């Protein structure tokens, strides 16, 4: 998410204010520390940023 926001020159506060999504949620997504995210939030962000969900999420496999 940080890459997309950087390309669009958006700040966390801009995204929060314009989408109504909690700033803390956006901060965790931006810094890749989010543990869970509501589907509604992902949909709002995809629509706002003009991207697909695959641009926001990455599946990481646990190392054995």
């Amino acid at each position: 998410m940080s890459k997309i926001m950087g390309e669009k020159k958006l700040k966390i506060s801009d995204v929060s204010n314009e989408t109504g999504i909690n700033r803390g949620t956006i901060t965790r997504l931006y810094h890749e520390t989010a543990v869970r995210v509501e589907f509604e939030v992902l949909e709002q962000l995809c629509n706002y940023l003009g991207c697909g969900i695959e641009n926001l999420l990455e599946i990481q496999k646990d190392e054995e």
Side-chain angles (χ1 to χ4, degrees), residues 8-57:
K8 296 179 179 281
K9 297 184 172 134
L10 294 169
K11 298 177 186 173
I12 290 171
S13 58
D14 295 334
V15 178
S16 178
N17 291 336
E18 294 180 28
T19 62
I21 299 170
N22 180 286
R23 183 184 172 108
T25 300
I26 295 169
T27 300
R28 286 187 292 279
L29 287 167
Y30 184 90
H31 292 291
E32 299 179 8
T33 59
V35 176
R36 59 188 165 131
V37 184
E38 298 287 331
F39 289 125
E40 278 181 22
V41 169
L42 292 174
E43 184 178 11
Q44 282 180 282
L45 287 171
C46 287
N47 289 334
Y48 177 74
L49 296 170
C51 67
I53 196 168
E54 69 278 3
N55 301 115
L56 298 180
L57 300 178

